[in-house]
Amino acid sequence: MSTELPRKRDVPEEARRRAEFLRRELARHGRLYYVLDAPEIADDEYDALFAELRSLEERYPGLDSPDSPTKRVGGRPGERFEKVVLSVPMLSLDNALDMEGLDAFLQRTLHQGSEGYVCELKIDGLAVSLLYEDGVFVRGTTRGDGRIGEDVTANLRAIRSLPLRLSGDAGGRIEVRGEVLLERRQFAELNEEREELGEPLFANPRNAAAGSLRQLDPSVTAKRKLSIYLYSVVDPRSLGLSSQKDILLWLGSAGLPVQSAWEFCPDGPSVKAFVEQWREKRFTLPYATDGVVVKINDTEQWSGLGNTSHAPRWAVAFKYPPEEKITRLTDIIVSVGRTGAMTPVAVLEPVVISGSTVRRASLHNEDELRRKGIRIGDMVRVRKAGEIIPEVLGPVPGKRTGREREFMMPDRCPVCGTPAVRLEGEVALRCPNRASCPAQLREGLRHFASRGGMDIRGMGDKIVAQLIGKGLVRSLSDVYRLKRSDLETLERMGPKSAQNLVDAVEQSKDRPFAALLAALGIRFVGARGAEILAAAFRDVPGLLAASEGSLSAVEGIGPVMAASIRSFLDSGENRKLLGELSELGIRGALPASPEEEPVPDESSTLLAGMRIVFTGELDSMTRTEAEALAKAHGAACSSSVSGKTSLVVAGREAGSKLSKANALGVRVVNEEEFLEMIRSGRTS
Ligand code: IVH
């Protein structure tokens, strides 16, 4: 499939150059901020560059491009989230980098620690503070600079494990603190998706959690499946709590998630034993931890010890050393992804890092390979980014023998032999044989069956590889023609698991239109794009009838995405696939019944049962974003006002819909009032 690039019409050369410069700069500063955690410019300077680019793009639509930073929801913090002065500063922790450092802390606190210590695992996430009033979650903020945080209430509400109401006796104002995180698996999946979409990868779960929490659209946060663990109460005394142990027990009894690995340790030796015990065991946890936080148990002692300018004296973070190993890079192979992108991958002599054996590591692209100066046969330094993703840092030049070889990207697809192409403006080489390259089919099927797609439980990588290898699946629709007897021919597949897989395939037929769209793997169309398309065009016939112009007229769909969708729909082969899926009874491929309503996301039920119409110009978000926000809170949205409408949110210059709402006596609020409803958790 080829994709048309934005037409370079009617844009003065100077504007084009400036836009390119701004995009490069914004991408660089975004990476410095999110990936390297080392910003070079202040938020307002970033905002100014961003605003300049946006106004250029508005002025010259020919400049539009899906990879523009303006297409990304969120952006850097401070840009859109309200600032909140924290009731009590959120401090950091002093680190102990080895056992001696830990010993020094234990010695220093020998007396104050006589009532024991509490050891907790240090979670690699983002610190947040949650405020509950009379048991109800009313506001959540990030740590910000420790004194002023950002209000991320709506996004925190999208975290399923965060209780919106505390259990038990929890009157008055209670502020609790903890860490928002992404489990390893979600982190890896998120990065996989970003790699497919050509977006920059998150370097570690902390950056990924921060990026996810700072989304403007809470429904995006909801999809990222963040978790949260609490570990402190701002004013424990007001709750009659006088030790860290009691604090953790109280948090648990109030229904707040507390990580289970904590332990009361009566003395120094038991603290050290805890540290040793978790050194390797931590790799069995679903989330990444890079250390142990040791806290004096007795909170009376806390006030006596006090704080330094940035950290309490009654706690320390013991950091496990990051594991970096040296191993031989025996080969570089080229893997072919779902969209045909050819990626160099290092083949390594197996080495155990952070608890698991590493055999392969993506080298991303040829440029990166050259930059790192890696050759085949090199001894290389390897570590896991965020303790999860294997990464080749670079060669150990002193170990070269002279027999190492430079690697060259092949000019053909290594799987099907088709000459590779490089699309204009792209780094990656691609195999253009979308129709029958087995590698693309395999990756396409993996994606099709994945959780964000058709969600076929049990159709894992090994099964997919066999289905393709044995020729049982030659096109995605073949999945729905598989019989139990076919599956029983696969390795390690008994009658029972074959039946389970048949059942899972059957169940997946009921996935909605948006899931099918995401599953098809249309270039540039991720989960979010699929939802926008499904909401705008309802079903396959609706989408097939949409012109490139009407596609790109939808908020959130730029011209390149529109061109990609159109070219997908125009391919005879894809039309055949859609027709077959419809004949096979796949719900998402069938025409929508007239009364079918979009299914609300249930991350919050604040607006459940309400039918909301947005009209006029909104200031802080686009209409699509506003609708997503409303849906994330359980509302249904529609574009016309009727007797069934429960609420109209009127922006600037609202016209006939507002008049109609007034005539029908439908409740009308402005944008600020609507946002206040979401913030306060009250609709009245
Ligand atoms: S207590 C006043 N406990 O680590 C001390 N922090 O490097 C408050 N962290 O800013 C922190 N797990 O974001 C505490 N079990 C834990 C933690 C933890 C992770 C984070 C926290 C803090 C950072 C300091």
Side-chain angles (χ1 to χ4, degrees):
M1 183 178 66
S2 77
T3 304
E4 222 178 278
L5 285 159
R7 254 157 281 151
K8 302 194 168 168
R9 56 181 142 72
D10 312 331
V11 184
E13 191 49 35
E14 200 181 319
R16 177 179 316 288
R17 262 198 249 121
R18 182 71 187 156
E20 274 165 19
F21 167 79
L22 289 167
R23 282 179 191 153
R24 257 199 322 274
E25 275 300 280
L26 287 164
R28 188 170 75 82
H29 289 301
R31 187 176 145 76
L32 282 166
Y33 188 93
Y34 279 120
V35 183
L36 304 174
D37 220 5
E40 277 176 11
I41 57 172
D43 287 352
D44 53 350
E45 292 172 75
Y46 181 91
D47 292 350
L49 295 176
F50 194 93
E52 187 187 344
L53 177 59
R54 184 154 30 204
S55 80
L56 267 179
E57 287 174 351
E58 274 164 14
R59 189 139 159 234
Y60 303 110
L63 280 177
D64 206 356
S65 157
D67 64 352
S68 173
T70 56
K71 291 285 182 297
R72 209 196 285 283
V73 197
R76 291 208 338 179
E79 198 186 318
R80 314 199 190 196
F81 294 106
E82 225 170 273
K83 303 242 153 99
V84 179
V85 178
L86 298 164
S87 61
V88 172
M90 289 173 80
L91 299 178
S92 181
L93 290 171
D94 277 333
N95 290 331
L97 295 175
D98 48 27
M99 277 301 185
E100 273 134 54
L102 177 60
D103 237 345
F105 170 78
L106 293 170
Q107 288 300 329
R108 186 156 50 77
T109 56
L110 205 52
H111 174 63
Q112 292 88 352
S114 57
E115 295 296 313
Y117 298 88
V118 166
C119 289
E120 296 162 21
L121 294 176
K122 183 160 154 40
I123 303 166
D124 189 15
L126 180 81
V128 292
S129 193
L130 314 177
L131 179 63
Y132 284 85
E133 271 173 9
D134 291 327
V136 178
F137 173 57
V138 292
R139 198 181 65 202
T141 47
T142 61
R143 175 169 183 265
D145 67 1
R147 275 155 228 285
I148 299 175
E150 300 140 3
D151 186 330
V152 286
T153 311
N155 291 0
L156 284 165
R157 279 212 180 91
I159 301 178
R160 303 271 164 143
S161 59
L162 182 145
L164 299 177
R165 178 178 285 280
L166 296 179
S167 43
D169 179 21
R173 275 169 78 92
I174 297 177
E175 197 172 340
V176 296
R177 290 180 176 174
E179 207 81 359
V180 168
L181 68 139
L182 259 184
E183 295 195 346
R184 288 171 204 278
R185 187 177 160 155
Q186 327 292 356
F187 172 64
E189 277 175 10
L190 178 58
N191 263 353
E192 254 169 49
E193 189 181 318
R194 290 173 77 85
E195 181 135 55
E196 283 290 354
L197 292 173
E199 293 180 7
L201 304 186
F202 287 117
N204 53 48
R206 178 168 43 83
N207 286 334
S212 305
L213 200 61
R214 291 190 186 120
Q215 292 287 328
L216 182 62
D217 177 351
S219 69
V220 175
T221 310
K223 293 214 174 61
R224 298 273 175 93
K225 305 211 179 66
L226 294 161
S227 316
I228 186 166
Y229 289 109
L230 285 307
Y231 46 68
S232 85
V233 172
V234 169
D235 183 9
R237 214 178 311 167
S238 67
L239 294 167
L241 304 169
S242 59
S243 69
Q244 177 63 12
K245 184 177 163 185
D246 286 350
I247 289 174
L248 293 174
L249 292 172
W250 181 86
L251 289 167
S253 73
L256 289 158
V258 175
Q259 50 157 343
S260 53
W262 70 272
E263 221 169 274
F264 170 74
C265 296
D267 50 19
S270 54
V271 168
K272 289 190 203 162
F274 182 93
V275 166
E276 285 313 326
Q277 186 200 339
W278 283 97
R279 193 181 286 275
E280 291 296 323
K281 201 165 133 190
R282 67 198 164 110
F283 301 122
T284 62
L285 293 169
Y287 47 84
T289 57
D290 57 355
V292 172
V293 183
V294 185
K295 300 173 182 174
I296 287 176
N297 188 35
D298 183 359
T299 57
E300 279 296 304
Q301 305 285 349
W302 295 3
S303 19
L305 280 164
N307 308 320
T308 67
S309 61
H310 71 283
R313 291 201 182 83
W314 45 266
V316 75
F318 173 85
K319 288 278 204 70
Y320 293 111
E323 264 200 297
E324 190 180 303
K325 293 264 174 88
I326 291 177
T327 189
R328 190 173 302 282
L329 185 152
T330 54
D331 200 1
I332 294 177
I333 56 172
V334 173
S335 86
V336 181
R338 171 167 62 82
T339 56
M342 291 165 46
T343 311
V345 176
V347 179
L348 304 166
E349 265 173 20
V351 56
V352 176
I353 309 174
S354 301
S356 68
T357 307
V358 175
R359 296 187 169 83
R360 301 259 158 114
S362 171
L363 295 164
H364 304 298
N365 56 55
E366 208 171 2
D367 291 354
E368 173 141 336
L369 199 74
R370 297 272 169 273
R371 199 168 46 73
K372 289 183 170 168
I374 297 168
R375 297 185 196 157
I376 297 172
D378 265 335
M379 291 302 283
V380 289
R381 293 183 297 123
V382 185
R383 70 157 185 211
K384 279 197 189 156
E387 312 230 307
I388 298 174
I389 304 201
E391 180 183 21
V392 178
L393 296 167
V396 186
K399 299 234 176 180
R400 286 213 166 130
T401 60
R403 272 175 284 140
E404 294 75 14
R405 288 183 288 125
E406 286 276 353
F407 167 80
M408 297 289 284
M409 279 297 271
D411 53 11
R412 288 176 175 274
C413 169
V415 180
C416 69
T418 307
V421 295
R422 192 187 305 270
L423 297 182
E424 204 185 322
E426 288 199 358
V427 209
L429 279 175
R430 280 180 197 280
C431 163
N433 177 15
R434 183 118 171 111
S436 55
C437 172
Q440 290 184 57
L441 187 54
R442 188 187 62 223
E443 293 307 310
L445 179 54
R446 270 180 62 179
H447 179 80
F448 186 77
S450 69
R451 275 197 293 175
M454 298 307 277
D455 194 17
I456 306 176
R457 305 280 155 94
M459 194 171 281
D461 295 358
K462 293 208 173 109
I463 306 272
V464 165
Q466 291 186 68
L467 290 173
I468 306 287
K470 293 194 173 215
L472 287 167
V473 172
R474 291 202 166 87
S475 139
L476 294 175
S477 60
D478 283 344
V479 168
Y480 294 101
R481 298 191 184 95
L482 287 169
K483 291 191 284 299
R484 203 176 90 169
S485 52
D486 295 329
L487 296 174
E488 281 176 9
T489 65
L490 304 182
E491 273 167 42
R492 270 173 291 176
M493 177 74 80
K496 183 134 192 280
S497 28
Q499 186 58 48
N500 287 345
L501 191 49
V502 168
D503 292 345
V505 168
E506 189 60 32
Q507 260 183 21
S508 78
K509 288 185 172 175
D510 205 34
R511 297 281 282 159
F513 181 42
L516 174 65
L517 277 178
L520 290 171
I522 306 171
R523 276 197 80 199
F524 303 119
V525 180
R528 180 95 195 101
E531 294 228 327
I532 295 175
L533 288 172
F537 299 100
R538 286 176 58 86
D539 55 13
V540 171
L543 191 60
L544 282 172
S547 68
E548 198 173 316
S550 56
L551 283 162
S552 59
V554 176
E555 286 252 19
I557 297 182
V560 173
M561 210 209 273
S564 167
I565 297 160
R566 207 44 264 174
S567 113
F568 180 92
L569 297 172
D570 288 341
S571 128
E573 204 164 336
N574 292 331
R575 278 183 182 255
K576 181 163 158 254
L577 169 66
L578 290 170
E580 286 172 351
L581 291 173
S582 160
E583 270 166 35
L584 288 159
I586 312 308
R587 177 182 147 205
L590 294 169
S593 53
E595 70 278 11
E596 198 169 330
E597 278 295 327
V599 184
D601 189 317
E602 287 165 359
S603 58
S604 150
T605 51
L606 176 68
L607 307 175
M610 292 180 80
R611 188 181 292 255
I612 302 185
V613 176
F614 289 90
T615 179
E617 285 240 318
L618 303 175
D619 288 322
S620 65
M621 52 194 160
T622 65
R623 198 172 304 170
T624 314
E625 286 167 346
E627 291 185 355
L629 181 62
K631 283 183 200 160
H633 289 273
C637 294
S638 88
S639 55
S640 58
V641 177
S642 73
K644 287 195 207 159
T645 309
S646 10
L647 183 72
V648 168
V649 180
R652 274 181 290 117
E653 286 161 45
S656 60
K657 290 180 194 171
L658 176 59
S659 325
K660 187 160 179 199
N662 285 330
L664 291 170
V666 175
R667 182 174 170 210
V668 177
V669 295
N670 64 25
E671 180 180 355
E672 189 38 49
E673 288 163 332
F674 171 69
L675 290 173
E676 184 52 33
M677 279 184 183
I678 305 276
R679 268 197 291 271
S680 66
R682 289 192 202 100
T683 54
S684 51

